[in-house]
PDB file of all heavy atoms in Angstrom:
ATOM      1  N   GLN A   1     103.924 102.320  97.431  1.00  0.00           N
ATOM      2  CA  GLN A   1     102.630 101.674  97.590  1.00  0.00           C
ATOM      3  C   GLN A   1     101.549 102.737  97.657  1.00  0.00           C
ATOM      4  O   GLN A   1     101.831 103.928  97.657  1.00  0.00           O
ATOM      5  CB  GLN A   1     102.601 100.837  98.866  1.00  0.00           C
ATOM      6  CG  GLN A   1     103.586  99.702  98.857  1.00  0.00           C
ATOM      7  CD  GLN A   1     103.570  98.964 100.170  1.00  0.00           C
ATOM      8  OE1 GLN A   1     102.883  99.327 101.102  1.00  0.00           O
ATOM      9  NE2 GLN A   1     104.342  97.907 100.251  1.00  0.00           N
ATOM     10  N   ALA A   2     100.312 102.287  97.751  1.00  0.00           N
ATOM     11  CA  ALA A   2      99.191 103.212  97.897  1.00  0.00           C
ATOM     12  C   ALA A   2      99.321 103.955  99.224  1.00  0.00           C
ATOM     13  O   ALA A   2      99.457 103.334 100.275  1.00  0.00           O
ATOM     14  CB  ALA A   2      97.880 102.458  97.834  1.00  0.00           C
ATOM     15  N   PRO A   3      99.286 105.261  99.210  1.00  0.00           N
ATOM     16  CA  PRO A   3      99.606 106.036 100.415  1.00  0.00           C
ATOM     17  C   PRO A   3      98.435 106.317 101.347  1.00  0.00           C
ATOM     18  O   PRO A   3      98.594 107.060 102.294  1.00  0.00           O
ATOM     19  CB  PRO A   3     100.142 107.347  99.827  1.00  0.00           C
ATOM     20  CG  PRO A   3      99.404 107.498  98.549  1.00  0.00           C
ATOM     21  CD  PRO A   3      99.232 106.095  98.021  1.00  0.00           C
ATOM     22  N   LEU A   4      97.253 105.750 101.123  1.00  0.00           N
ATOM     23  CA  LEU A   4      96.089 106.110 101.932  1.00  0.00           C
ATOM     24  C   LEU A   4      96.325 105.861 103.420  1.00  0.00           C
ATOM     25  O   LEU A   4      96.010 106.718 104.263  1.00  0.00           O
ATOM     26  CB  LEU A   4      94.850 105.362 101.459  1.00  0.00           C
ATOM     27  CG  LEU A   4      93.555 105.689 102.195  1.00  0.00           C
ATOM     28  CD1 LEU A   4      93.228 107.163 102.032  1.00  0.00           C
ATOM     29  CD2 LEU A   4      92.427 104.837 101.693  1.00  0.00           C
ATOM     30  N   ASP A   5      96.895 104.727 103.785  1.00  0.00           N
ATOM     31  CA  ASP A   5      97.154 104.427 105.191  1.00  0.00           C
ATOM     32  C   ASP A   5      98.094 105.453 105.813  1.00  0.00           C
ATOM     33  O   ASP A   5      97.891 105.907 106.931  1.00  0.00           O
ATOM     34  CB  ASP A   5      97.733 103.021 105.325  1.00  0.00           C
ATOM     35  CG  ASP A   5      97.976 102.636 106.768  1.00  0.00           C
ATOM     36  OD1 ASP A   5      97.054 102.800 107.591  1.00  0.00           O
ATOM     37  OD2 ASP A   5      99.087 102.176 107.083  1.00  0.00           O
ATOM     38  N   TYR A   6      99.116 105.838 105.074  1.00  0.00           N
ATOM     39  CA  TYR A   6     100.091 106.784 105.596  1.00  0.00           C
ATOM     40  C   TYR A   6      99.528 108.199 105.676  1.00  0.00           C
ATOM     41  O   TYR A   6      99.889 108.960 106.566  1.00  0.00           O
ATOM     42  CB  TYR A   6     101.361 106.739 104.755  1.00  0.00           C
ATOM     43  CG  TYR A   6     101.970 105.371 104.774  1.00  0.00           C
ATOM     44  CD1 TYR A   6     101.819 104.508 103.700  1.00  0.00           C
ATOM     45  CD2 TYR A   6     102.648 104.916 105.892  1.00  0.00           C
ATOM     46  CE1 TYR A   6     102.355 103.235 103.739  1.00  0.00           C
ATOM     47  CE2 TYR A   6     103.178 103.647 105.942  1.00  0.00           C
ATOM     48  CZ  TYR A   6     103.031 102.816 104.859  1.00  0.00           C
ATOM     49  OH  TYR A   6     103.547 101.564 104.896  1.00  0.00           O
ATOM     50  N   ILE A   7      98.657 108.545 104.736  1.00  0.00           N
ATOM     51  CA  ILE A   7      98.013 109.854 104.791  1.00  0.00           C
ATOM     52  C   ILE A   7      97.117 109.939 106.023  1.00  0.00           C
ATOM     53  O   ILE A   7      97.140 110.928 106.760  1.00  0.00           O
ATOM     54  CB  ILE A   7      97.211 110.121 103.503  1.00  0.00           C
ATOM     55  CG1 ILE A   7      98.167 110.286 102.329  1.00  0.00           C
ATOM     56  CG2 ILE A   7      96.328 111.356 103.659  1.00  0.00           C
ATOM     57  CD1 ILE A   7      97.480 110.339 100.990  1.00  0.00           C
ATOM     58  N   ILE A   8      96.331 108.900 106.255  1.00  0.00           N
ATOM     59  CA  ILE A   8      95.457 108.885 107.431  1.00  0.00           C
ATOM     60  C   ILE A   8      96.286 108.941 108.704  1.00  0.00           C
ATOM     61  O   ILE A   8      95.979 109.704 109.622  1.00  0.00           O
ATOM     62  CB  ILE A   8      94.543 107.643 107.411  1.00  0.00           C
ATOM     63  CG1 ILE A   8      93.562 107.743 106.247  1.00  0.00           C
ATOM     64  CG2 ILE A   8      93.801 107.491 108.729  1.00  0.00           C
ATOM     65  CD1 ILE A   8      92.771 106.483 106.006  1.00  0.00           C
ATOM     66  N   GLN A   9      97.360 108.152 108.768  1.00  0.00           N
ATOM     67  CA  GLN A   9      98.214 108.167 109.956  1.00  0.00           C
ATOM     68  C   GLN A   9      98.847 109.543 110.153  1.00  0.00           C
ATOM     69  O   GLN A   9      98.957 110.018 111.278  1.00  0.00           O
ATOM     70  CB  GLN A   9      99.301 107.112 109.858  1.00  0.00           C
ATOM     71  CG  GLN A   9     100.186 107.090 111.097  1.00  0.00           C
ATOM     72  CD  GLN A   9     101.253 106.032 111.034  1.00  0.00           C
ATOM     73  OE1 GLN A   9     101.348 105.283 110.076  1.00  0.00           O
ATOM     74  NE2 GLN A   9     102.061 105.954 112.056  1.00  0.00           N
ATOM     75  N   HIS A  10      99.238 110.175 109.098  1.00  0.00           N
ATOM     76  CA  HIS A  10      99.844 111.504 109.184  1.00  0.00           C
ATOM     77  C   HIS A  10      98.879 112.495 109.824  1.00  0.00           C
ATOM     78  O   HIS A  10      99.245 113.221 110.754  1.00  0.00           O
ATOM     79  CB  HIS A  10     100.260 111.965 107.792  1.00  0.00           C
ATOM     80  CG  HIS A  10     100.731 113.373 107.727  1.00  0.00           C
ATOM     81  ND1 HIS A  10     101.980 113.746 108.171  1.00  0.00           N
ATOM     82  CD2 HIS A  10     100.127 114.494 107.293  1.00  0.00           C
ATOM     83  CE1 HIS A  10     102.126 115.047 107.998  1.00  0.00           C
ATOM     84  NE2 HIS A  10     101.005 115.529 107.468  1.00  0.00           N
ATOM     85  N   TYR A  11      97.644 112.527 109.353  1.00  0.00           N
ATOM     86  CA  TYR A  11      96.679 113.487 109.888  1.00  0.00           C
ATOM     87  C   TYR A  11      96.219 113.136 111.293  1.00  0.00           C
ATOM     88  O   TYR A  11      96.007 114.028 112.126  1.00  0.00           O
ATOM     89  CB  TYR A  11      95.495 113.649 108.940  1.00  0.00           C
ATOM     90  CG  TYR A  11      95.889 114.429 107.705  1.00  0.00           C
ATOM     91  CD1 TYR A  11      95.929 113.822 106.463  1.00  0.00           C
ATOM     92  CD2 TYR A  11      96.266 115.755 107.795  1.00  0.00           C
ATOM     93  CE1 TYR A  11      96.317 114.522 105.339  1.00  0.00           C
ATOM     94  CE2 TYR A  11      96.661 116.475 106.679  1.00  0.00           C
ATOM     95  CZ  TYR A  11      96.678 115.851 105.461  1.00  0.00           C
ATOM     96  OH  TYR A  11      97.076 116.554 104.354  1.00  0.00           O
ATOM     97  N   VAL A  12      96.082 111.852 111.597  1.00  0.00           N
ATOM     98  CA  VAL A  12      95.719 111.455 112.968  1.00  0.00           C
ATOM     99  C   VAL A  12      96.852 111.809 113.929  1.00  0.00           C
ATOM    100  O   VAL A  12      96.609 112.310 115.029  1.00  0.00           O
ATOM    101  CB  VAL A  12      95.384 109.942 113.038  1.00  0.00           C
ATOM    102  CG1 VAL A  12      95.268 109.470 114.470  1.00  0.00           C
ATOM    103  CG2 VAL A  12      94.093 109.663 112.298  1.00  0.00           C
ATOM    104  N   ALA A  13      98.093 111.591 113.513  1.00  0.00           N
ATOM    105  CA  ALA A  13      99.234 111.937 114.366  1.00  0.00           C
ATOM    106  C   ALA A  13      99.343 113.447 114.558  1.00  0.00           C
ATOM    107  O   ALA A  13      99.700 113.909 115.646  1.00  0.00           O
ATOM    108  CB  ALA A  13     100.529 111.389 113.779  1.00  0.00           C
ATOM    109  N   ASN A  14      99.039 114.213 113.533  1.00  0.00           N
ATOM    110  CA  ASN A  14      99.049 115.671 113.685  1.00  0.00           C
ATOM    111  C   ASN A  14      97.942 116.121 114.626  1.00  0.00           C
ATOM    112  O   ASN A  14      98.109 117.093 115.354  1.00  0.00           O
ATOM    113  CB  ASN A  14      98.890 116.368 112.341  1.00  0.00           C
ATOM    114  CG  ASN A  14     100.165 116.336 111.525  1.00  0.00           C
ATOM    115  OD1 ASN A  14     101.244 116.131 112.070  1.00  0.00           O
ATOM    116  ND2 ASN A  14     100.042 116.513 110.233  1.00  0.00           N
ATOM    117  N   LEU A  15      96.830 115.423 114.604  1.00  0.00           N
ATOM    118  CA  LEU A  15      95.704 115.784 115.459  1.00  0.00           C
ATOM    119  C   LEU A  15      95.903 115.319 116.899  1.00  0.00           C
ATOM    120  O   LEU A  15      95.665 116.082 117.836  1.00  0.00           O
ATOM    121  CB  LEU A  15      94.415 115.180 114.892  1.00  0.00           C
ATOM    122  CG  LEU A  15      93.120 115.475 115.628  1.00  0.00           C
ATOM    123  CD1 LEU A  15      92.787 116.955 115.501  1.00  0.00           C
ATOM    124  CD2 LEU A  15      91.999 114.636 115.054  1.00  0.00           C
ATOM    125  N   LEU A  16      96.372 114.077 117.092  1.00  0.00           N
ATOM    126  CA  LEU A  16      96.475 113.490 118.430  1.00  0.00           C
ATOM    127  C   LEU A  16      97.878 113.515 119.022  1.00  0.00           C
ATOM    128  O   LEU A  16      98.046 113.239 120.204  1.00  0.00           O
ATOM    129  CB  LEU A  16      95.963 112.048 118.412  1.00  0.00           C
ATOM    130  CG  LEU A  16      94.503 111.852 118.006  1.00  0.00           C
ATOM    131  CD1 LEU A  16      94.173 110.371 117.959  1.00  0.00           C
ATOM    132  CD2 LEU A  16      93.574 112.585 118.942  1.00  0.00           C
ATOM    133  N   GLY A  17      98.893 113.756 118.218  1.00  0.00           N
ATOM    134  CA  GLY A  17     100.264 113.774 118.722  1.00  0.00           C
ATOM    135  C   GLY A  17     101.043 112.544 118.289  1.00  0.00           C
ATOM    136  O   GLY A  17     100.573 111.718 117.521  1.00  0.00           O
ATOM    137  N   GLN A  18     102.257 112.420 118.802  1.00  0.00           N
ATOM    138  CA  GLN A  18     103.166 111.342 118.414  1.00  0.00           C
ATOM    139  C   GLN A  18     103.210 110.205 119.428  1.00  0.00           C
ATOM    140  O   GLN A  18     104.161 109.432 119.438  1.00  0.00           O
ATOM    141  CB  GLN A  18     104.575 111.910 118.227  1.00  0.00           C
ATOM    142  CG  GLN A  18     104.701 112.887 117.085  1.00  0.00           C
ATOM    143  CD  GLN A  18     104.673 112.186 115.741  1.00  0.00           C
ATOM    144  OE1 GLN A  18     105.159 111.078 115.604  1.00  0.00           O
ATOM    145  NE2 GLN A  18     104.101 112.834 114.755  1.00  0.00           N
ATOM    146  N   SER A  19     102.212 110.092 120.285  1.00  0.00           N
ATOM    147  CA  SER A  19     102.213 109.007 121.272  1.00  0.00           C
ATOM    148  C   SER A  19     101.935 107.676 120.588  1.00  0.00           C
ATOM    149  O   SER A  19     101.478 107.617 119.443  1.00  0.00           O
ATOM    150  CB  SER A  19     101.145 109.267 122.338  1.00  0.00           C
ATOM    151  OG  SER A  19      99.857 109.148 121.781  1.00  0.00           O
ATOM    152  N   GLU A  20     102.228 106.595 121.292  1.00  0.00           N
ATOM    153  CA  GLU A  20     101.972 105.271 120.740  1.00  0.00           C
ATOM    154  C   GLU A  20     100.483 105.083 120.466  1.00  0.00           C
ATOM    155  O   GLU A  20     100.095 104.498 119.464  1.00  0.00           O
ATOM    156  CB  GLU A  20     102.473 104.199 121.708  1.00  0.00           C
ATOM    157  CG  GLU A  20     102.342 102.802 121.147  1.00  0.00           C
ATOM    158  CD  GLU A  20     102.948 101.751 122.052  1.00  0.00           C
ATOM    159  OE1 GLU A  20     103.675 102.103 122.996  1.00  0.00           O
ATOM    160  OE2 GLU A  20     102.677 100.566 121.806  1.00  0.00           O
ATOM    161  N   PHE A  21      99.644 105.590 121.359  1.00  0.00           N
ATOM    162  CA  PHE A  21      98.196 105.508 121.157  1.00  0.00           C
ATOM    163  C   PHE A  21      97.788 106.196 119.857  1.00  0.00           C
ATOM    164  O   PHE A  21      97.022 105.651 119.064  1.00  0.00           O
ATOM    165  CB  PHE A  21      97.457 106.147 122.342  1.00  0.00           C
ATOM    166  CG  PHE A  21      95.983 106.319 122.106  1.00  0.00           C
ATOM    167  CD1 PHE A  21      95.124 105.246 122.249  1.00  0.00           C
ATOM    168  CD2 PHE A  21      95.473 107.544 121.716  1.00  0.00           C
ATOM    169  CE1 PHE A  21      93.767 105.394 122.014  1.00  0.00           C
ATOM    170  CE2 PHE A  21      94.118 107.709 121.488  1.00  0.00           C
ATOM    171  CZ  PHE A  21      93.266 106.632 121.639  1.00  0.00           C
ATOM    172  N   ALA A  22      98.298 107.387 119.620  1.00  0.00           N
ATOM    173  CA  ALA A  22      97.923 108.147 118.427  1.00  0.00           C
ATOM    174  C   ALA A  22      98.379 107.452 117.146  1.00  0.00           C
ATOM    175  O   ALA A  22      97.661 107.452 116.147  1.00  0.00           O
ATOM    176  CB  ALA A  22      98.503 109.550 118.499  1.00  0.00           C
ATOM    177  N   LEU A  23      99.563 106.867 117.182  1.00  0.00           N
ATOM    178  CA  LEU A  23     100.097 106.223 115.982  1.00  0.00           C
ATOM    179  C   LEU A  23      99.392 104.909 115.659  1.00  0.00           C
ATOM    180  O   LEU A  23      99.372 104.478 114.511  1.00  0.00           O
ATOM    181  CB  LEU A  23     101.596 105.994 116.129  1.00  0.00           C
ATOM    182  CG  LEU A  23     102.447 107.259 116.200  1.00  0.00           C
ATOM    183  CD1 LEU A  23     103.902 106.900 116.435  1.00  0.00           C
ATOM    184  CD2 LEU A  23     102.278 108.098 114.952  1.00  0.00           C
ATOM    185  N   ARG A  24      98.811 104.270 116.658  1.00  0.00           N
ATOM    186  CA  ARG A  24      98.127 102.998 116.434  1.00  0.00           C
ATOM    187  C   ARG A  24      96.610 103.135 116.354  1.00  0.00           C
ATOM    188  O   ARG A  24      95.917 102.190 116.015  1.00  0.00           O
ATOM    189  CB  ARG A  24      98.472 102.009 117.547  1.00  0.00           C
ATOM    190  CG  ARG A  24      99.924 101.612 117.559  1.00  0.00           C
ATOM    191  CD  ARG A  24     100.204 100.665 118.708  1.00  0.00           C
ATOM    192  NE  ARG A  24     101.612 100.439 118.856  1.00  0.00           N
ATOM    193  CZ  ARG A  24     102.261  99.425 118.296  1.00  0.00           C
ATOM    194  NH1 ARG A  24     101.614  98.574 117.547  1.00  0.00           N
ATOM    195  NH2 ARG A  24     103.555  99.271 118.485  1.00  0.00           N
ATOM    196  N   PHE A  25      96.082 104.308 116.665  1.00  0.00           N
ATOM    197  CA  PHE A  25      94.641 104.495 116.773  1.00  0.00           C
ATOM    198  C   PHE A  25      93.909 104.192 115.470  1.00  0.00           C
ATOM    199  O   PHE A  25      92.927 103.460 115.454  1.00  0.00           O
ATOM    200  CB  PHE A  25      94.328 105.922 117.241  1.00  0.00           C
ATOM    201  CG  PHE A  25      92.864 106.212 117.307  1.00  0.00           C
ATOM    202  CD1 PHE A  25      92.097 105.672 118.316  1.00  0.00           C
ATOM    203  CD2 PHE A  25      92.257 107.017 116.356  1.00  0.00           C
ATOM    204  CE1 PHE A  25      90.741 105.926 118.384  1.00  0.00           C
ATOM    205  CE2 PHE A  25      90.909 107.272 116.414  1.00  0.00           C
ATOM    206  CZ  PHE A  25      90.146 106.724 117.433  1.00  0.00           C
ATOM    207  N   HIS A  26      94.367 104.763 114.372  1.00  0.00           N
ATOM    208  CA  HIS A  26      93.630 104.575 113.117  1.00  0.00           C
ATOM    209  C   HIS A  26      93.640 103.115 112.661  1.00  0.00           C
ATOM    210  O   HIS A  26      92.645 102.626 112.138  1.00  0.00           O
ATOM    211  CB  HIS A  26      94.178 105.509 112.027  1.00  0.00           C
ATOM    212  CG  HIS A  26      95.410 105.017 111.365  1.00  0.00           C
ATOM    213  ND1 HIS A  26      96.644 105.052 111.967  1.00  0.00           N
ATOM    214  CD2 HIS A  26      95.597 104.450 110.156  1.00  0.00           C
ATOM    215  CE1 HIS A  26      97.534 104.543 111.153  1.00  0.00           C
ATOM    216  NE2 HIS A  26      96.933 104.171 110.049  1.00  0.00           N
ATOM    217  N   ALA A  27      94.749 102.422 112.860  1.00  0.00           N
ATOM    218  CA  ALA A  27      94.807 101.013 112.452  1.00  0.00           C
ATOM    219  C   ALA A  27      93.851 100.163 113.289  1.00  0.00           C
ATOM    220  O   ALA A  27      93.149  99.303 112.755  1.00  0.00           O
ATOM    221  CB  ALA A  27      96.234 100.493 112.585  1.00  0.00           C
ATOM    222  N   ALA A  28      93.802 100.419 114.593  1.00  0.00           N
ATOM    223  CA  ALA A  28      92.884  99.670 115.451  1.00  0.00           C
ATOM    224  C   ALA A  28      91.427 100.002 115.136  1.00  0.00           C
ATOM    225  O   ALA A  28      90.566  99.115 115.116  1.00  0.00           O
ATOM    226  CB  ALA A  28      93.182  99.965 116.920  1.00  0.00           C
ATOM    227  N   LEU A  29      91.148 101.272 114.874  1.00  0.00           N
ATOM    228  CA  LEU A  29      89.783 101.676 114.550  1.00  0.00           C
ATOM    229  C   LEU A  29      89.308 101.027 113.250  1.00  0.00           C
ATOM    230  O   LEU A  29      88.226 100.430 113.194  1.00  0.00           O
ATOM    231  CB  LEU A  29      89.702 103.204 114.433  1.00  0.00           C
ATOM    232  CG  LEU A  29      88.340 103.756 114.043  1.00  0.00           C
ATOM    233  CD1 LEU A  29      87.325 103.517 115.155  1.00  0.00           C
ATOM    234  CD2 LEU A  29      88.459 105.229 113.720  1.00  0.00           C
ATOM    235  N   PHE A  30      90.106 101.112 112.206  1.00  0.00           N
ATOM    236  CA  PHE A  30      89.709 100.520 110.937  1.00  0.00           C
ATOM    237  C   PHE A  30      89.685  98.992 110.998  1.00  0.00           C
ATOM    238  O   PHE A  30      88.875  98.360 110.318  1.00  0.00           O
ATOM    239  CB  PHE A  30      90.612 101.001 109.802  1.00  0.00           C
ATOM    240  CG  PHE A  30      90.365 102.427 109.418  1.00  0.00           C
ATOM    241  CD1 PHE A  30      91.396 103.334 109.368  1.00  0.00           C
ATOM    242  CD2 PHE A  30      89.096 102.864 109.124  1.00  0.00           C
ATOM    243  CE1 PHE A  30      91.179 104.650 109.021  1.00  0.00           C
ATOM    244  CE2 PHE A  30      88.850 104.184 108.776  1.00  0.00           C
ATOM    245  CZ  PHE A  30      89.901 105.077 108.723  1.00  0.00           C
ATOM    246  N   GLY A  31      90.548  98.395 111.792  1.00  0.00           N
ATOM    247  CA  GLY A  31      90.510  96.941 111.967  1.00  0.00           C
ATOM    248  C   GLY A  31      89.232  96.489 112.641  1.00  0.00           C
ATOM    249  O   GLY A  31      88.626  95.488 112.251  1.00  0.00           O
ATOM    250  N   THR A  32      88.791  97.229 113.643  1.00  0.00           N
ATOM    251  CA  THR A  32      87.536  96.913 114.322  1.00  0.00           C
ATOM    252  C   THR A  32      86.348  97.126 113.390  1.00  0.00           C
ATOM    253  O   THR A  32      85.430  96.298 113.337  1.00  0.00           O
ATOM    254  CB  THR A  32      87.383  97.788 115.580  1.00  0.00           C
ATOM    255  OG1 THR A  32      88.523  97.588 116.412  1.00  0.00           O
ATOM    256  CG2 THR A  32      86.135  97.433 116.346  1.00  0.00           C
ATOM    257  N   LEU A  33      86.366  98.213 112.650  1.00  0.00           N
ATOM    258  CA  LEU A  33      85.275  98.477 111.707  1.00  0.00           C
ATOM    259  C   LEU A  33      85.231  97.434 110.586  1.00  0.00           C
ATOM    260  O   LEU A  33      84.160  97.119 110.074  1.00  0.00           O
ATOM    261  CB  LEU A  33      85.414  99.880 111.127  1.00  0.00           C
ATOM    262  CG  LEU A  33      85.153 101.020 112.101  1.00  0.00           C
ATOM    263  CD1 LEU A  33      85.429 102.364 111.429  1.00  0.00           C
ATOM    264  CD2 LEU A  33      83.748 100.973 112.652  1.00  0.00           C
ATOM    265  N   THR A  34      86.381  96.890 110.219  1.00  0.00           N
ATOM    266  CA  THR A  34      86.424  95.854 109.193  1.00  0.00           C
ATOM    267  C   THR A  34      85.654  94.617 109.625  1.00  0.00           C
ATOM    268  O   THR A  34      84.941  94.007 108.823  1.00  0.00           O
ATOM    269  CB  THR A  34      87.881  95.481 108.864  1.00  0.00           C
ATOM    270  OG1 THR A  34      88.555  96.644 108.411  1.00  0.00           O
ATOM    271  CG2 THR A  34      87.962  94.392 107.823  1.00  0.00           C
ATOM    272  N   ILE A  35      85.777  94.250 110.878  1.00  0.00           N
ATOM    273  CA  ILE A  35      85.046  93.088 111.387  1.00  0.00           C
ATOM    274  C   ILE A  35      83.545  93.345 111.321  1.00  0.00           C
ATOM    275  O   ILE A  35      82.762  92.474 110.921  1.00  0.00           O
ATOM    276  CB  ILE A  35      85.502  92.741 112.815  1.00  0.00           C
ATOM    277  CG1 ILE A  35      86.961  92.318 112.803  1.00  0.00           C
ATOM    278  CG2 ILE A  35      84.639  91.634 113.411  1.00  0.00           C
ATOM    279  CD1 ILE A  35      87.580  92.211 114.165  1.00  0.00           C
TER     280      ILE A  35
END
């Protein structure tokens, strides 16, 4: 599939770590911005 979501998650996880918060942060941020 289109890898944009996974690329963003990869870099956010490298920046923030492997915690649950870090792995879900980008999805929650973009979901809120979508609204």
